[in-house]
Amino acid sequence: MSNTQVHSETVIETPRVPTIDMKLEIVVIPVLDVDRAKEFYANLGWRLDADYASGDDYRVIQFTPPGSNGSVIFGKNVTAAAPGSAQGLYLIVSDIEAVRNQLLDRGVEISEVFHDAGGLYAGTDEPYLFGRLRLSGRDPEHRSYRSFASFSDPDGNGWLLQEITARLPGRVDADATTFTSPTELSAALRRAAAAHGEHEKLTGEHDEGWPNWYAEYIVSEQAGKPLPV
C-alpha cells in the first residue's frame, strides 16, 4: 500500500505552495469634496504622497498615516462608492489617550474612549466590530485590543482608533521587534517601567539588571510571548 492510501482509500495530498508576499498598501475612501478631504487629512498630520490630476475628470490624492505602511487614496472618479460609505477603518495606536488628545488639539471631533460590552452584539450604539455595544472609558483591565475611540472625516467615512500594546501570538514575527515612531517606543518603555516596578515589589530589592528585564519585556510583549514577572 502506498503512503497515500489508508484503509483502501486514496488520500489526495495537496502540494505545498510557496508563500507569496502580498502587501496591503492602499485603501480607497469615497469623498464628495476632494479639497475639503485633502485639508482634513493634512490636518491629521498625515503625509501627503501624491496629488495628481489628468484634465478635469480625474484626480487622485494619497495620504499615509504616521508610522503606517498602508495609505489611503481618494479623489475625483477614483471610485463609484457613495461618499462616506467607508466604515470601520482601523488606526492602530499604542497609547489611545495620547493620540486622542493630539487629534483634539488639531480640532478633530472624536468620541470619548470606549470599550466593548463583553460579547453583546446588538443595540443602538454607533456600530463597530460587527455591532458590539460601547461602554464608556478604557477597558478596565487595560487589555490590548479592547480600547477604542472613533471619528469621521467630513464626508462621514468612519475611523476607529484601537489601542494595541501586546500582539496576540502569531500576529508578528517573533524574531523581529520594530517601532514605527518615538511615541510608540516611549509608550512601550512606560509599560515596561510600570511592570518592572511590580517586579521589584515581588523581589523586594533593586534590580541592577533592569535594562535586560526591560528588553525582554518589550520584545515579549510585541511578539505575544509570556511576559517576565
Side-chain angles (χ1 to χ4, degrees), residues 1-13:
M1 182 173 64
S2 71
N3 60 3
T4 59
Q5 291 179 319
V6 179
H7 300 302
S8 301
E9 295 181 0
T10 300
V11 177
I12 300 176
E13 296 181 345

Side-chain angles (χ1 to χ4, degrees), residues 118-160:
L120 299 179
Y121 294 91
T124 59
D125 291 346
E126 181 182 348
Y128 82 104
L129 285 178
F130 307 105
R132 290 184 186 173
L133 296 183
R134 299 182 177 201
L135 296 181
S136 180
R138 296 177 69 168
D139 177 71
E141 299 176 34
H142 295 274
R143 291 170 294 180
S144 190
Y145 295 93
R146 301 298 182 92
S147 298
F148 303 87
S150 64
F151 67 94
S152 298
D153 70 11
D155 286 281
N157 295 300
W159 293 90
L160 277 169

Side-chain angles (χ1 to χ4, degrees), residues 65-112:
S68 177
N69 291 323
S71 305
V72 299
I73 64 171
F74 55 85
K76 184 176 183 180
N77 289 329
V78 171
T79 174
S85 59
Q87 300 296 319
L89 302 167
Y90 278 64
L91 294 168
I92 305 306
V93 300
S94 59
D95 187 334
I96 197 164
E97 293 285 5
V99 175
R100 180 179 180 275
N101 288 334
Q102 290 176 7
L103 293 179
L104 285 172
D105 289 342
R106 293 175 181 269
V108 178
E109 293 185 11
I110 184 169
S111 75
E112 298 290 337

Side-chain angles (χ1 to χ4, degrees), residues 46-63:
W46 295 11
R47 186 185 71 226
L48 176 63
D49 298 323
D51 185 349
Y52 171 78
S54 179
D56 296 330
D57 296 325
Y58 181 77
R59 183 181 177 191
V60 61
I61 294 175
Q62 177 173 318
F63 276 98

